[in-house]
């Protein structure tokens, strides 16, 4: 029954440990995914606040002045130019943001990999400690059984010896009695 208790105890300990470890890994992975999502959201917010160059602003002012003077054909030419400049500036901005975003994602991923690796090392260290504790307890239990076995064997030998001596003594008593 002690061995059954021992086995049941350690099965429960390792089940609880594996469950706890799995939850810790899942929690870290979710936290890391949330950090990446927050980064994406911040990039989306920043993209809405794009700032155009003063050249673009001057072209818009020129367009407005031409419209005021009712020079619509020239205003349309300037408008086309504004759109090309705006598109060029947006492309440039997006390329820069993409480079910055990829750099930040790369840093976050490296950080996440280090965190996950560190967590897995701590889990493995704890698993080894539990295995060591189980082995020690198993050895203690085995020592206890071996000690008890030796005690029982010694006791049995002693009882056997005593029994044999008793029989011998009874036999001698009987022989003495028969001789009388």
């Amino acid at each position: 029954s002690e061995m059954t208790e021992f086995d049941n105890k350690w099965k429960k300990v390792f089940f609880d440990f594996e469950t706890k470890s799995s939850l810790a890994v899942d929690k870290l992975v979710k936290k890391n995914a949330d950090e990446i999502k927050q980064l994406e959201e911040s990039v989306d917010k920043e993209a809405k606040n794009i700032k155009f160059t003063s050249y673009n602003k001057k072209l818009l002012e020129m367009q407005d002045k031409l419209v005021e003077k009712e020079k619509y054909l020239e205003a349309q030419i300037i408008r086309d130019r504004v759109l090309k400049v705006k598109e060029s500036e947006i492309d440039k901005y997006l390329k820069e943001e993409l480079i910055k975003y990829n750099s930040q994602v790369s840093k976050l991923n490296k950080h996440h990999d280090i965190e996950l690796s560190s967590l897995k090392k701590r889990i493995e260290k704890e698993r080894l400690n539990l295995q060591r504790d189980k082995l020690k307890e198993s050895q203690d239990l085995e020592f206890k059984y071996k000690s008890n076995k030796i005690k029982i064997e010694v006791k049995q030998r002693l009882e056997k010896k005593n029994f044999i001596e008793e029989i011998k003594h009874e036999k001698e008593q009987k022989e003495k009695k028969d001789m009388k």
Side-chain angles (χ1 to χ4, degrees):
S1 71
E2 275 188 87
M3 278 308 279
T4 302
E5 285 176 28
F6 170 83
D7 286 338
N8 290 338
K9 170 191 167 186
W10 283 103
K11 281 179 186 175
K12 182 181 180 336
V13 166
F14 278 101
F15 177 79
D16 291 346
F17 171 76
E18 292 301 330
T19 301
K20 181 180 152 189
S21 298
S22 180
L23 288 173
V25 169
D26 291 346
K27 183 179 177 181
L28 181 63
V29 167
K30 184 183 179 331
K31 179 187 104 34
N32 292 347
D34 289 345
E35 286 178 356
I36 295 288
K37 186 177 179 182
Q38 286 175 347
L39 178 62
E40 289 171 355
E41 289 171 357
S42 72
V43 167
D44 288 345
K45 284 180 187 176
E46 288 177 20
K48 292 176 185 174
N49 300 327
I50 187 171
K51 292 183 175 52
F52 295 100
T53 62
S54 59
Y55 177 67
N56 186 52
K57 289 178 185 177
K58 286 179 185 177
L59 286 173
L60 285 171
E61 288 171 5
M62 283 176 56
Q63 175 189 333
D64 291 342
K65 287 179 185 177
L66 289 170
V67 168
E68 283 176 12
K69 294 179 182 179
E70 297 182 1
K71 295 184 178 181
Y72 299 112
L73 188 57
E74 290 92 346
Q76 182 61 40
I77 293 170
I78 297 294
R79 175 76 179 146
D80 291 343
R81 181 87 175 130
V82 166
L83 291 176
K84 285 181 183 175
V85 168
K86 203 174 209 180
E87 186 178 320
S88 169
E89 289 179 5
I90 289 172
D91 285 347
K92 181 181 173 193
Y93 173 80
L94 291 176
K95 285 178 187 173
E96 290 171 356
E97 286 302 306
L98 183 62
I99 290 169
K100 189 165 77 171
Y101 171 76
N102 286 338
S103 171
Q104 289 173 328
V105 166
S106 177
K107 286 178 187 176
L108 264 179
N109 283 335
K110 284 179 187 174
H111 178 71
H112 293 163
D113 289 345
I114 290 169
E115 280 183 320
L116 189 58
S117 174
S118 174
L119 176 62
K120 286 181 178 182
K121 283 179 185 175
R122 287 194 311 270
I123 289 170
E124 191 54 33
K125 183 178 179 184
E126 181 64 23
R127 179 180 286 108
L128 291 173
N129 286 339
L130 287 174
Q131 288 172 340
R132 186 192 71 236
D133 292 347
K134 179 183 177 187
L135 179 62
K136 184 182 181 314
E137 192 174 322
S138 171
Q139 288 170 339
D140 290 347
L141 201 55
E142 189 177 328
F143 178 76
K144 178 182 172 186
Y145 282 126
K146 284 182 180 180
S147 296
N148 285 339
K149 182 181 176 187
I150 290 171
K151 284 179 188 176
I152 290 171
E153 287 172 352
V154 167
K155 184 178 178 186
Q156 286 176 341
R157 281 195 298 264
L158 212 93
E159 286 175 353
K160 183 179 178 181
K161 182 181 173 190
N162 286 340
F163 181 70
I164 291 173
E165 284 180 13
E166 262 182 48
I167 290 178
K168 225 182 196 181
H169 182 66
E170 282 179 11
K171 195 176 183 181
E172 285 174 3
Q173 289 293 334
K174 189 177 179 186
E175 284 176 4
K176 281 184 183 180
K177 194 176 183 186
D178 284 345
M179 283 173 73
K180 285 186 187 183

